[in-house]
Amino acid sequence: MTQTLDIERELCGHAAVGEAAVTVDGDRVVAFVVPAGGGLSLRELRAELGTEPDEFVVLTALPLAEDGQPDWAELSRSRKDLTRRRMPYTAPRTDTERYLAALWEDLIGVEDIGADDDFFTLGGHSLLAVRIRMRLQRDHGVTVAPEALFENSVLSEQAAVVDRTREA
Amino acid sequence: MTRTLDDIDLTDRVLHSTEDLSEFWRDLRHTKPVHWHQPADGGTGFWVLTAYEHISAVYRDTKHFTSERGNVMDALRAGGDSAAKRMLSLTDGRRHTDVRSILMKTFSKRGVEQVGERIRGITRGLVEQALERGTCDFAMDVAAPIPLMAICDLLGVPEEDRWRIFDLTSSMVASETPEHTQKDAWRNKNEVLFYFANMAEGRRVEPRDDIVSLLTGAQISGSGLTEDEIIFNCYSLILGGGETTRMSIGGAVVALVQHPDQWRALKNGDVSVDSAVEEVLRWTTPSMHMARTAVADVEIGGSSIRAGDIVTLWNVSANRDEKAFELPDAFNLARSPNKHVTLGGGSHFCLGAHLARLEINSVLTSLRDLVSEIEPVGEPRRIYSNFLGGVCHVPVALR
Ligand code: HEM
């Protein structure tokens, strides 16, 4: 238990984290975090933590129970919901797929994005799609049409669109 | 045909533009002013408030209601707005006050007067052009460019990009055809957000005298606004500033054509333009509804609203409530008092109220000073939406 408290304390003190609640489920330490407002890269967060949880769940708000403590039942539901929306993990295969997987992980706040994961199913929305377009423009010099991202929401499809646009 | 509670679906975007619902609203106000509505699609149900008294109370009740999950029916029923807490209208409490006071510099009465001369000049020019041509589509030729030019001047959007932005935004909340694809809406919203994301990046490096620079440079207790807040607020200003006012201006001309006595009263100077602006706002009510989510159980008009429930506030009904307005179905430019809810109320009261009034005022003033007769030369066309109501085409002859 002191381990979860330590992680929680460290998370709450981190500039990029607004709120955090940490718990143990079976043999896994799960950290629920609400970003402070700007971007929150779980990769960077891991690199800066003394003790890391096994799993992160990023939320827009921390649900509270009547007594003002975190609502653990609701948190567990959010976590299950997220797991349900994931596809079985297929490692990204090309450079573009690996680039996009890392980008999605940072933007959506979900770890271990695979080639079969779906942008919308994982909670991707317009502004995140805008971020993807901005980064592709900056890092790869390609301007992808928004409808192409809408129609190709699976990571491997999206990577194919980026490759095709770059070649065109 | 009078519609009844059972066969109407308020989420239907075609319904509001093809049917006159005034009987239906009156019925609801009298029989069930706080009504639970279960739409035909089987999705999330919601409360429908139609009485002026209840609606203006909910606008002011920040203890029981929040805007932070969304403020229109569709977004709330879809599970919440993706811009929640990152756009002024979808932020409550301290953060709302802080962000609002940054923007208030530009949108105060004095702030908007800075573009007053320019807007009045543009309006005069557009009405003169319409007079020269003889006939025009008042909604497209006059009503559309005025708010577009005004908000783009303020935001710092260059002339050459403005009509592209107009095309993208005008099809976003409403459409001119009953068929409206989700993909088109998503694509257009994305393009507009992308546009402002790029613009904000530019202004960070090279600030100018415009709202985008104001937002990129703003500080709240030592830290800047987040990238999301900047982009979503620009988006909300271009949408909120353009579409609604366009509906009011187009609707004003339709109303003046239908009420020749009121046109004469305006023309002869029997009513002040200021008072006419308020009646135009009440009569046209472009934001047909707004919505909130209850955060605590509360009773309204004998009905128990539970925490978590979606509550929709039908401004179109409140503005015709016989308990709040004398002869509410009369278009009366001299109406006083005229405390309509067209611009909302309470802490989220329309930020662009002074600008909207200035724009409508410039149109009524130019019509009064330059035009002697307005004649319809075709049927006005309404837009399709369950949120924004009004006309997108108004063919008239001006003399
Ligand atoms: C006839 C024209 C207009 C109408 C009918 C209208 C209507 C409204 C309404 C009903 C609200 C309240 C929303 C709520 O309670 O959730 C509102 C808020 C707002 N309006 Fe307007 N509006 C108009 C023009 C404008 C213009 C010209 C601008 C800006 C350039 C603008 C920007 C805003 C903003 C930013 C808010 C949010 C304010 C806050 O949450 O503090 N509006 N408007």
Side-chain angles (χ1 to χ4, degrees):
Chain A
M1 269 303 130
T2 55
Q3 188 201 8
T4 61
L5 284 180
D6 284 346
I7 299 178
E8 199 169 296
R9 199 170 307 122
E10 211 182 334
L11 280 172
C12 288
H14 195 281
V17 176
E19 293 173 285
V22 182
T23 188
V24 177
D25 180 51
D27 59 352
R28 292 178 71 75
V29 179
V30 184
F32 297 92
V33 289
V34 178
L40 171 68
S41 161
L42 293 177
R43 203 188 337 276
E44 285 166 22
L45 193 59
R46 277 196 184 283
E48 289 162 22
L49 286 179
T51 326
E52 298 172 52
D54 294 301
E55 192 179 323
F56 278 108
V57 178
V58 178
L59 305 165
T60 49
L62 205 58
L64 297 180
E66 300 265 306
D67 59 2
Q69 292 298 306
D71 183 342
W72 295 111
E74 183 60 37
L75 285 169
S76 153
R77 259 195 300 281
S78 301
R79 176 170 167 238
K80 282 214 191 72
D81 183 47
L82 179 64
T83 321
R84 206 162 3 89
R85 289 182 276 138
R86 301 297 302 268
M87 294 304 286
Y89 183 72
T90 310
R93 292 150 296 213
T94 64
D95 282 347
T96 312
E97 283 187 5
R98 278 186 287 275
Y99 167 85
L100 279 176
L103 186 56
W104 284 26
E105 286 167 9
D106 285 353
L107 293 178
I108 309 179
V110 174
E111 298 183 293
D112 299 324
I113 294 275
D116 298 328
D117 274 320
D118 183 288
F119 179 71
F120 290 112
T121 314
L122 291 177
H125 53 70
S126 308
L127 192 56
L128 293 182
V130 167
R131 289 267 153 72
I132 292 180
R133 294 177 68 209
M134 298 274 293
R135 293 277 284 269
L136 284 170
Q137 187 176 266
R138 195 183 69 199
D139 299 344
H140 290 272
V142 294
T143 308
V144 180
E147 55 269 38
L149 294 189
F150 186 83
E151 284 161 357
N152 301 281
S153 56
V154 171
L155 188 117
S156 57
E157 297 169 356
Q158 208 172 87
V161 169
V162 173
D163 289 336
R164 272 202 305 276
T165 315
R166 192 172 21 205
E167 280 155 26
Chain B
M1 185 184 73
T2 311
R3 295 289 222 132
T4 64
L5 271 177
D6 305 316
D7 69 352
I8 217 154
D9 180 356
L10 288 174
T11 63
D12 180 357
R13 50 172 55 243
V14 178
L15 167 83
H16 299 273
S17 51
T18 52
E19 298 208 30
D20 176 8
L21 296 176
S22 39
E23 286 285 333
F24 165 77
W25 294 127
R26 185 176 312 132
D27 223 40
L28 262 190
R29 279 196 304 273
H30 290 179
T31 57
K32 288 190 97 185
V34 182
H35 165 61
W36 179 259
H37 185 62
Q38 183 55 62
D41 62 11
T44 318
F46 50 90
W47 293 99
V48 172
L49 271 55
T50 44
Y52 180 94
E53 178 198 352
H54 298 149
I55 289 173
S56 52
V58 172
Y59 274 128
R60 285 161 185 81
D61 184 354
T62 47
K63 195 167 138 227
H64 296 101
F65 297 98
T66 180
S67 294
E68 293 202 327
R69 284 177 217 163
N71 69 347
V72 295
M73 179 168 68
D74 280 356
L76 285 168
R77 295 186 73 233
D81 200 305
S82 67
K85 295 191 193 182
R86 289 171 294 178
M87 190 192 275
L88 182 67
S89 57
L90 306 179
T91 308
D92 286 332
R94 183 64 204 271
R95 186 78 182 169
H96 173 259
T97 315
D98 288 344
V99 176
R100 192 167 164 113
S101 64
I102 294 170
L103 288 165
M104 214 55 213
K105 270 207 234 40
T106 309
F107 289 100
S108 65
K109 198 158 186 191
R110 261 181 63 205
V112 300
E113 248 327 303
Q114 304 217 322
V115 288
E117 268 322 304
R118 179 164 150 84
I119 294 172
R120 284 187 282 269
I122 290 176
T123 306
R124 231 186 135 80
L126 291 166
V127 172
E128 278 166 356
Q129 278 173 30
L131 274 166
E132 263 163 45
R133 280 200 310 273
T135 61
C136 70
D137 178 345
F138 204 89
M140 281 311 294
D141 300 338
V142 184
I146 297 165
L148 179 71
M149 293 304 147
I151 195 62
C152 287
D153 273 0
L154 291 170
L155 280 166
V157 174
E159 297 270 354
E160 63 269 24
D161 296 337
R162 296 183 177 182
W163 285 101
R164 187 165 71 88
I165 297 272
F166 175 82
D167 287 339
L168 292 170
T169 51
S170 64
S171 56
M172 223 136 56
V173 272
S175 60
E176 297 197 9
T177 55
E179 307 83 25
H180 183 73
T181 73
Q182 203 197 351
K183 188 179 107 186
D184 292 341
W186 192 88
R187 174 194 182 279
N188 292 352
K189 179 174 179 184
N190 209 280
E191 283 290 28
V192 177
L193 292 171
F194 188 64
Y195 183 87
F196 284 110
N198 272 311
M199 195 169 153
E201 231 176 47
R203 293 299 194 269
R204 272 191 201 289
V205 191
E206 239 178 285
R208 300 198 193 157
D209 183 18
D210 57 35
I211 296 178
V212 179
S213 310
L214 179 73
L215 291 172
T216 52
Q219 295 274 320
I220 295 175
S221 20
S223 50
L225 297 181
T226 68
E227 196 68 32
D228 292 16
E229 283 177 309
I230 294 167
I231 299 169
F232 273 132
N233 278 309
C234 291
Y235 168 78
S236 133
L237 288 172
I238 199 97
L239 260 191
E243 291 300 282
T244 44
T245 325
R246 174 164 80 101
M247 295 299 130
S248 268
I249 295 172
V253 168
V254 174
L256 289 170
V257 166
Q258 288 170 345
H259 302 86
D261 58 319
Q262 294 302 303
W263 165 236
R264 273 192 303 277
L266 179 69
K267 195 69 208 134
N268 298 341
D270 299 340
V271 294
S272 74
V273 174
D274 284 348
S275 138
V277 169
E278 294 313 308
E279 183 66 345
V280 161
L281 283 168
R282 184 189 76 95
W283 191 254
T284 53
T285 318
S287 303
M288 292 190 290
H289 81 269
M290 295 307 319
R292 297 288 188 264
T293 306
V295 286
D297 295 356
V298 59
E299 198 175 293
I300 298 181
S303 296
S304 297
I305 289 170
R306 303 287 303 274
D309 287 354
I310 298 171
V311 177
T312 57
L313 315 171
W314 290 86
N315 296 332
V316 272
S317 171
N319 279 343
R320 298 289 182 100
D321 188 336
E322 36 293 279
K323 287 192 186 146
F325 301 95
E326 208 173 303
L327 298 177
D329 295 324
F331 179 60
N332 172 12
L333 296 179
R335 184 179 293 281
S336 169
N338 193 352
K339 296 168 88 71
H340 57 76
V341 289
T342 301
L343 303 168
S347 57
H348 289 285
F349 180 74
C350 179
L351 176 81
H354 293 300
L355 182 61
R357 288 179 166 128
L358 192 156
E359 289 168 13
I360 301 167
N361 191 308
S362 76
V363 174
L364 296 182
T365 305
S366 284
L367 285 176
R368 185 195 62 187
D369 296 349
L370 304 172
V371 177
S372 49
E373 266 175 84
I374 314 173
E375 262 168 40
V377 293
E379 277 299 304
R381 274 238 313 274
R382 289 182 65 86
I383 51 158
Y384 296 91
S385 165
N386 60 27
F387 163 64
L388 193 68
V391 283
C392 52
H393 295 289
V394 181
V396 286
L398 300 186
R399 272 203 302 274

